[in-house]
Amino acid sequence: MANIKAYAAHDSEADLEPHNIERRNTKDDDVKIEITYCGVCHSDIHQVRNDWNNSQYPVVPGHEIIGRVTETGKNVEHFKEGQLVGVGCMVDSCQHCKHCKNDLEQFCEEGAVMTYNGPDKHLGGHTLGGYSEQIIVNKEFVLDIPDNIDTKAAAPLLCAGITTWSPLSHWNVQKDDKVGVIGLGGLGHMGVKFADALGAEVVMITRSPEKADDAKRLGADEVLISTDQEQMSEHQGSFDFLLNTIPVGHDLDPYIQLLSIDATMVLVGAIEPLEEMHGGGLIGGRKRVAGSVIGGIKETQEMLDFCGENDITCDVEMIDIQNINEAYERVVNSDVKYRFVIDMQSLKK
Amino acid sequence: MANIKAYAAHDSEADLEPHNIERRNTKDDDVKIEITYCGVCHSDIHQVRNDWNNSQYPVVPGHEIIGRVTETGKNVEHFKEGQLVGVGCMVDSCQHCKHCKNDLEQFCEEGAVMTYNGPDKHLGGHTLGGYSEQIIVNKEFVLDIPDNIDTKAAAPLLCAGITTWSPLSHWNVQKDDKVGVIGLGGLGHMGVKFADALGAEVVMITRSPEKADDAKRLGADEVLISTDQEQMSEHQGSFDFLLNTIPVGHDLDPYIQLLSIDATMVLVGAIEPLEEMHGGGLIGGRKRVAGSVIGGIKETQEMLDFCGENDITCDVEMIDIQNINEAYERVVNSDVKYRFVIDMQSLKK
């Protein structure tokens, strides 16, 4: 074990501040990673502030981790010292249940171990995330980062990327499908990029006309203003797939009306509760509402490889770790295009 | 045109009573049918009582029609005089939109013409249903009834049957799938029979322990009492498919918890509105909630053929048309096992 510099919150009221943490020694199946960049996800804020009533302090957030391998255990063949790697939302799972065997570790029957605030199998206590100098992770949960993409802008792929890629991929979005991405934030901007790269006809659906130019720059073919009844009527029954990234409760019915027969709207926001829905809206067109959460490790690697092949990264704003509390306020106010990434070199300041 | 005996309601407060109606003459594409049996569907009552605020009086209900061909138009080759046939919820559609071409007439872009209370293309006014001596229907909406099944018990297949068959078939329920049928009424009892005949492991899910024996007689392997928390916990995450036939608003969350990863619950009841749902319930297992309504004509024929091959009919209680108002009260009170069928010979009394 070693003392590692990190940033942590001590209780739900506290700002993040410098902290020393312990990491385990590198075990036979482990990869030790020096963290170079870490993305800032809204979940980080929820956990720091105990919004979900399950936080364990100190909370060291961060599950959009990019770094370089500095040491490997004796069973590790795939990763070599100096290699560029990533770690996302999970650092472990049982590896033997049917879901793990089906590459769906996010649905592990024993519970996937989240990168922070999960049960630490090695040191006891809870896991500590990527707002730190280094992390040690089982090789099965370490991802290859393509060499050709902008490393710092790749960090949010590990959460915002896979969260939007997974439903597009699982529901088999294809060339020329009409895909609506609802909400233009950290998730939505990746949904647009992916759907566009998959060859879909992409419509950004937003309440905010001022987001139209940016949506088109990101790859949207069209922008549909959800408060404009006339526009909404014109698109009624026309979408093959809807990716709903709105993170707060809202009326789903206007979007269900946009779906064509047999089409699905996938929710990726942790909305509690979903508001009342018009039952006839589903029944009258054999429509479906579904949920999706992150993605499995194999699928995450496929997403990263796709990003390498298609030169896709996130639109990011770089910050030093010392500015993290200010960044949190801006995330809460949706004042970031579209994701903050921490330059972890700043920890040395 | 001819004067035909029927039973009709004159306004939303009125009982059904004898009525003379007009039918068109048999046109080139038409099949004229002498009605022998007509099932009683809860929708009949909703329309008679104007529960959906779209009834046009007089309402002649009835869309579970069995009869014999008495005349055919010159373009009709498939049907011959004396042949046993059925008519379900639809008597026409545009026949040229993409959904009609895909055998999904129920989703016709111009609107399928319902068997009663739909716009009558031939005589103007609205269509009049099966509580009558005869009906004249376009050949594309007439179905073959297998010779080997009990004719009177076949009538409810045309609505209760296809409504439950369609989702089981469309979502590809297979041998050994664990299928839950929620609610044991006119729809639920057919869901159990079909799922059982498809080789699924069938669990009847009901609030009513007294329905257990009957559920097992109908084909359920097990009965799960939905108010028993311990039983519900034991089955959590284990169902490949849920067919929810509950016709009134209810909490969907306990049933969503029963679904396994990637599994779907299909609603076939016209529930308005669907109550608030726990968003995490969908997201935490990539689960789906969908709707389904009746089925296309091709699919209805497939269902009828399956019934012939597997000797499946509905459990029915026969009534004379003179008892229809009393039967309605019993349907409203769920006091029928499981569907009333009118012997249309009684119209001659």
Side-chain angles (χ1 to χ4, degrees):
Chain A
M1 291 192 288
N3 280 321
I4 306 295
K5 286 186 191 169
Y7 257 58
H10 289 270
D11 65 55
S12 63
E13 304 291 320
D15 279 352
L16 293 172
E17 54 185 39
H19 197 80
N20 284 324
I21 61 170
E22 288 185 341
R23 299 283 192 195
R24 68 179 182 263
N25 291 323
T26 308
K27 297 188 174 179
D28 292 350
D29 293 313
D30 283 344
V31 177
K32 185 174 179 175
I33 301 161
E34 184 189 330
I35 301 173
T36 50
Y37 301 111
C38 186
V40 176
C41 175
H42 206 132
S43 305
D44 299 355
I45 304 172
H46 287 306
Q47 293 272 13
V48 161
R49 298 183 177 177
N50 198 21
D51 290 338
W52 297 334
N53 289 312
N54 65 355
S55 298
Q56 300 179 78
Y57 293 93
V59 171
V60 176
H63 57 205
E64 297 181 337
I65 298 168
I66 298 281
R68 296 246 172 221
V69 176
T70 54
E71 190 182 351
T72 57
K74 71 176 186 185
N75 296 338
V76 178
E77 293 184 358
H78 180 79
F79 298 103
K80 308 289 177 202
E81 215 180 301
Q83 191 173 334
L84 188 63
V85 293
V87 176
C89 299
M90 299 180 284
V91 287
D92 216 335
S93 73
C94 82
Q95 299 281 295
H96 55 70
C97 76
K98 65 180 177 186
H99 302 314
C100 285
K101 286 187 173 168
N102 284 332
D103 298 308
L104 296 168
E105 297 87 353
Q106 73 271 37
F107 302 129
C108 173
E109 290 183 342
E110 299 182 11
V113 178
M114 296 293 116
T115 301
Y116 58 87
N117 240 317
D120 188 324
K121 292 182 188 178
H122 303 275
L123 298 184
H126 59 279
T127 54
L128 302 170
Y131 294 7
S132 64
E133 285 180 298
Q134 57 156 255
I135 193 167
I136 292 165
V137 178
N138 180 290
K139 63 187 168 65
E140 304 300 337
F141 290 80
V142 179
L143 295 138
D144 293 320
I145 302 295
D147 285 329
N148 63 313
I149 59 177
D150 179 2
T151 320
K152 57 187 184 299
L157 294 175
L158 279 312
C159 174
I162 185 61
T163 296
T164 49
W165 171 265
S166 179
L168 292 167
S169 168
H170 182 73
W171 270 269
N172 201 23
V173 164
Q174 298 195 332
K175 191 168 181 316
D176 298 332
D177 282 352
K178 183 170 175 181
V179 172
V181 178
I182 307 171
L184 182 51
L187 295 177
H189 99 289
M190 289 312 301
V192 169
K193 290 189 183 197
F194 285 139
D196 179 50
L198 288 165
E201 178 193 344
V202 184
V203 181
M204 164 51 59
I205 305 172
T206 173
R207 287 181 304 183
S208 313
E210 69 275 12
K211 291 187 176 174
D213 288 347
D214 221 27
K216 288 185 177 170
R217 178 185 61 79
L218 294 164
D221 298 291
E222 197 175 339
V223 176
L224 169 55
I225 305 303
S226 58
T227 52
D228 183 325
Q229 295 308 319
E230 199 173 320
Q231 282 188 38
M232 289 292 276
S233 294
E234 279 169 21
H235 285 269
Q236 192 171 324
S238 69
F239 282 88
D240 298 302
F241 187 78
L242 288 174
L243 178 65
N244 185 332
T245 73
I246 301 176
V248 294
H250 61 283
D251 183 3
L252 297 177
D253 287 335
Y255 304 114
I256 291 171
Q257 286 178 27
L258 294 176
L259 292 170
S260 73
I261 304 297
D262 283 328
T264 298
M265 171 161 68
V266 173
L267 311 172
V268 293
I271 305 170
E272 295 300 348
L274 298 175
E275 293 181 9
E276 282 185 349
M277 268 182 261
H278 178 45
L282 293 178
I283 289 170
R286 206 159 58 184
K287 300 176 181 179
R288 304 112 201 259
V289 172
S292 180
V293 64
I294 57 174
I297 294 298
K298 182 180 171 198
E299 193 177 36
T300 305
Q301 190 61 59
E302 286 166 0
M303 178 271 301
L304 290 165
D305 294 345
F306 182 86
C307 288
E309 288 155 18
N310 294 277
D311 200 21
I312 294 174
T313 52
C314 308
D315 284 23
V316 302
E317 184 174 337
M318 300 302 299
I319 58 167
D320 286 348
I321 188 71
Q322 291 79 10
N323 303 119
I324 187 66
N325 297 302
E326 181 192 338
Y328 274 16
E329 286 309 306
R330 288 183 54 200
V331 169
V332 169
N333 295 322
S334 303
D335 176 26
V336 52
K337 286 183 178 172
Y338 282 93
R339 207 79 165 175
F340 285 114
V341 172
I342 310 164
D343 182 347
M344 295 311 302
Q345 291 296 318
S346 59
L347 254 186
K348 296 177 181 163
K349 282 184 184 171
Chain B
M1 291 192 288
N3 279 320
I4 306 294
K5 285 186 192 169
Y7 257 59
H10 288 270
D11 65 55
S12 63
E13 304 292 319
D15 279 350
L16 293 172
E17 54 184 40
H19 197 82
N20 284 324
I21 60 171
E22 287 184 344
R23 299 284 191 196
R24 68 181 182 263
N25 291 322
T26 308
K27 297 188 174 179
D28 292 349
D29 293 312
D30 283 344
V31 178
K32 184 173 179 176
I33 301 161
E34 184 190 330
I35 301 173
T36 51
Y37 301 110
C38 187
V40 176
C41 175
H42 206 132
S43 306
D44 298 354
I45 304 172
H46 288 306
Q47 293 272 12
V48 161
R49 299 184 177 175
N50 198 23
D51 290 338
W52 298 331
N53 290 313
N54 65 355
S55 298
Q56 301 180 78
Y57 294 93
V59 172
V60 177
H63 58 205
E64 297 181 336
I65 299 169
I66 297 282
R68 295 244 172 223
V69 176
T70 55
E71 189 182 353
T72 57
K74 72 176 185 186
N75 297 339
V76 178
E77 293 184 0
H78 180 78
F79 298 102
K80 308 291 177 199
E81 213 180 305
Q83 191 173 336
L84 187 63
V85 293
V87 177
C89 299
M90 301 181 285
V91 287
D92 217 334
S93 74
C94 82
Q95 299 281 297
H96 55 70
C97 75
K98 65 181 177 185
H99 302 313
C100 284
K101 285 187 174 168
N102 284 332
D103 299 308
L104 295 168
E105 297 88 353
Q106 73 270 38
F107 303 129
C108 173
E109 291 184 341
E110 298 183 12
V113 178
M114 296 292 116
T115 301
Y116 58 87
N117 240 315
D120 188 324
K121 293 182 188 176
H122 304 275
L123 298 185
H126 59 280
T127 53
L128 303 171
Y131 294 8
S132 64
E133 286 180 297
Q134 58 154 256
I135 193 167
I136 292 163
V137 178
N138 181 291
K139 62 186 168 63
E140 303 300 336
F141 290 80
V142 179
L143 296 139
D144 293 319
I145 302 296
D147 285 328
N148 63 313
I149 59 177
D150 179 2
T151 320
K152 59 187 183 298
L157 294 174
L158 278 313
C159 174
I162 186 61
T163 297
T164 48
W165 170 265
S166 179
L168 291 167
S169 168
H170 182 74
W171 271 269
N172 201 24
V173 163
Q174 298 194 330
K175 193 170 180 311
D176 298 332
D177 282 353
K178 183 171 173 180
V179 172
V181 178
I182 306 171
L184 181 51
L187 296 176
H189 99 288
M190 289 313 301
V192 169
K193 290 189 185 199
F194 285 138
D196 179 50
L198 288 164
E201 177 192 346
V202 184
V203 181
M204 164 50 59
I205 305 172
T206 174
R207 288 181 303 183
S208 313
E210 68 276 12
K211 291 186 175 174
D213 286 348
D214 221 27
K216 288 185 177 170
R217 176 184 63 78
L218 293 164
D221 297 290
E222 197 175 341
V223 176
L224 168 55
I225 305 302
S226 57
T227 51
D228 183 326
Q229 295 309 317
E230 198 173 321
Q231 282 188 38
M232 290 292 276
S233 295
E234 278 169 22
H235 285 270
Q236 193 172 326
S238 69
F239 282 87
D240 297 302
F241 186 77
L242 288 174
L243 178 64
N244 186 332
T245 73
I246 301 176
V248 294
H250 61 283
D251 183 3
L252 296 176
D253 287 333
Y255 303 115
I256 292 171
Q257 286 178 28
L258 294 177
L259 291 170
S260 72
I261 303 298
D262 283 329
T264 298
M265 171 161 68
V266 174
L267 309 173
V268 293
I271 304 170
E272 294 302 347
L274 298 176
E275 294 181 9
E276 283 185 349
M277 269 183 263
H278 177 46
L282 293 179
I283 289 170
R286 204 159 58 184
K287 299 175 182 180
R288 304 113 202 258
V289 171
S292 180
V293 65
I294 56 173
I297 294 297
K298 182 181 171 200
E299 195 178 34
T300 305
Q301 190 62 60
E302 287 165 359
M303 178 271 302
L304 290 166
D305 295 345
F306 182 87
C307 288
E309 288 155 18
N310 293 273
D311 200 22
I312 293 174
T313 52
C314 308
D315 284 23
V316 302
E317 183 174 336
M318 299 302 298
I319 57 167
D320 285 348
I321 188 72
Q322 290 79 9
N323 302 119
I324 187 66
N325 296 301
E326 181 191 338
Y328 275 15
E329 285 309 306
R330 288 183 54 199
V331 169
V332 168
N333 295 320
S334 302
D335 176 26
V336 53
K337 286 182 179 173
Y338 283 93
R339 207 80 165 176
F340 286 115
V341 171
I342 310 164
D343 182 347
M344 295 311 300
Q345 290 296 319
S346 59
L347 253 186
K348 296 177 182 165
K349 284 183 183 174

